[in-house]
Amino acid sequence: MHAQEKEKPRYLDIFMAFFRSGILSFGGGPSGIPLIEAEVVKKYQWMTIEEFGDVVAIANALPGPINTKLSGYIGWKVRGLPGLLIALVATVLPTVVLLIILLGFLAAFQNQRWVHGMTQAVLPVVGVMMAQLTWRFLSSAKKGLGWAISLVLVGLSFVLMEVLNVQAPILIALVLIFVLIMPDKKRTKEGEKS
C-alpha cells in the first residue's frame, strides 16, 4: 500500500484563491504575484516558495499577462484541466467586471482631482507588496546559492536591465540556458567519490 496521497484541492478553493487574488490585484501583474503567492504557498500550500519562484520566473519569460499564466498553470497542476479552467475564470472574471464598472465611473469623474489622487495612492502599496515578495525570493535563493552569489546575480541583473536595457524575459532565458549547461557540482562530486 502506498502512503496516503495528499487530498486534491476542492474546486471551490481553487476558484476562491484566484478570485481573491484577481479582485485585489490592483495595477496588474506585479501586484497580483504576491497575492497569488499568499494563496498558493501560504494559505493552501499547493506549492513551496521555491516552486512558486520557478513558475514566476518561467511565466515572466513567456508572452501574455502573468496572472493568467500563473493561475492557469497552478490550476492545472493541482486539479488538471477543470482546475485550469476554474482558475482562469476566477482570475479573469473580477477583472472584466471591475474594468467595466471602473471605466464607467472614471469616465464620469475623470477631471476630478481625487480620481487622480486615488490612482496615485495605490502605487506605494504595490511597491511594498513587491518588496516583500522580492525579499522572500532572495531568502529562498540564499538557501540554494548563498548570499554572495545571490547578491552578485541581483547586481548583475540590475545593471543589465536598468543600464543596458536588456529585457527581463531575455535575462531569464539566459539564466535558464546557463543553468542547463552549467555542470551540477553535487553530481560531479559524487562521481569523483565513486
Side-chain angles (χ1 to χ4, degrees), residues 18 21-22 25-37 40 51-75 87-88 91-92 95 130 133 137 168-169 172:
F18 291 104
S21 61
S25 62
F26 189 94
S31 65
I33 295 170
L35 296 170
I36 293 172
E37 183 257 345
V40 170
E51 291 172 319
F52 185 75
D54 292 343
V55 173
V56 169
I58 292 171
N60 268 323
L62 299 172
I66 192 160
N67 288 358
T68 53
K69 290 181 282 187
L70 290 175
S71 63
Y73 172 75
I74 295 166
L88 284 176
T91 300
V92 173
T95 305
M130 290 305 296
L133 183 63
F137 281 169
I172 291 168

Side-chain angles (χ1 to χ4, degrees), residues 88-123:
L88 284 176
V89 167
T91 300
V92 173
L93 184 65
T95 305
V96 170
V97 171
L98 286 176
L99 182 65
I100 293 167
I101 294 169
L102 284 175
L103 284 178
F105 179 76
L106 291 176
F109 298 102
Q110 65 186 356
N111 295 327
Q112 299 294 321
R113 188 171 161 234
W114 61 269
V115 171
H116 181 69
M118 177 181 70
T119 56
Q120 293 300 311
V122 173
L123 295 177

Side-chain angles (χ1 to χ4, degrees), residues 33-49 52 129 132-133 136:
I33 295 170
L35 296 170
I36 293 172
E37 183 257 345
E39 296 287 339
V40 170
V41 175
K42 293 178 182 171
K43 183 171 183 168
Y44 292 108
Q45 299 175 352
W46 295 330
M47 303 177 118
T48 64
I49 187 68
F52 185 75
M129 291 170 62
Q132 288 178 324
L133 183 63
R136 285 194 292 272

Side-chain angles (χ1 to χ4, degrees), residues 10 20 25 124 174:
R10 298 179 314 155
R20 277 191 295 266
S25 62
L174 291 173

Side-chain angles (χ1 to χ4, degrees), residues 139-152:
S139 297
S140 177
K142 176 200 74 148
K143 292 176 188 171
L145 298 173
W147 274 118
I149 294 173
S150 295
L151 292 176
V152 166

Side-chain angles (χ1 to χ4, degrees), residues 144-145 149 178-179 181-193:
L145 298 173
I149 294 173
F178 174 74
V179 170
I181 62 174
M182 185 178 79
D184 188 359
K185 291 180 183 179
K186 289 180 183 175
R187 255 190 275 149
T188 307
K189 287 180 182 177
E190 288 174 6
E192 290 172 2
K193 290 179 183 178

